[in-house]
């Protein structure tokens, strides 16, 4: 299943990596330095913006890919994904 519920895993992982929310918008915007991540709509589409560019992630892009892109955009490429996101075998129940 993809969509906004899966994007909550992205929020959890980014918060674990130190990203913070300004708490102003209904769909949370998380920031780390100049990088910003937001869930764009209830379908789970999201966006990552930094340094004058933005990348749209359709809801079917895996959580792992979105988190890795966010960490790289914030200069946190040294963070181990397993430290900020629970990795589980494909098809495993949540």
């Amino acid at each position: 299943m993809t969509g906004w519920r899966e994007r909550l895993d992205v929020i959890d992982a980014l918060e674990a990596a130190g990203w913070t929310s300004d708490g102003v918008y209904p769909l949370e915007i998380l920031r780390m330095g100049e990088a910003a991540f937001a869930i764009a709509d209830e379908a789970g589409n999201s966006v990552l913006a930094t340094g004058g560019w933005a990348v749209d992630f359709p809801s079917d892009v895996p959580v792992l890919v979105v988190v890795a892109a966010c960490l790289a955009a914030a200069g946190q490429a040294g963070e181990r994904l397993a430290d900020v996101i629970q990795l589980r075998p494909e098809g495993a129940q949540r």
Side-chain angles (χ1 to χ4, degrees):
M1 180 174 93
T2 58
W4 71 269
R5 289 183 192 268
E6 187 169 89
R7 288 303 180 244
L8 295 178
D9 288 343
V10 174
I11 298 283
D12 291 342
L14 295 180
E15 286 176 340
W19 290 54
T20 56
S21 169
D22 53 22
V24 174
Y25 300 97
L27 292 175
E28 200 165 20
I29 296 175
L30 294 178
R31 300 178 192 279
M32 172 60 79
E34 293 185 19
F37 170 80
I39 299 173
D41 56 36
E42 290 187 18
N45 298 307
S46 55
V47 64
L48 167 64
T50 188
W53 56 267
V55 176
D56 294 319
F57 295 104
S59 62
D60 61 348
V61 174
V63 168
L64 190 61
V65 172
V66 177
V67 171
C70 290
L71 294 178
Q76 294 179 290
E79 295 280 341
R80 291 188 51 227
L81 284 177
D83 290 340
V84 296
I85 189 168
Q86 181 181 358
L87 301 176
R88 56 187 165 266
E90 187 173 329
Q93 294 288 0
R94 292 184 161 211

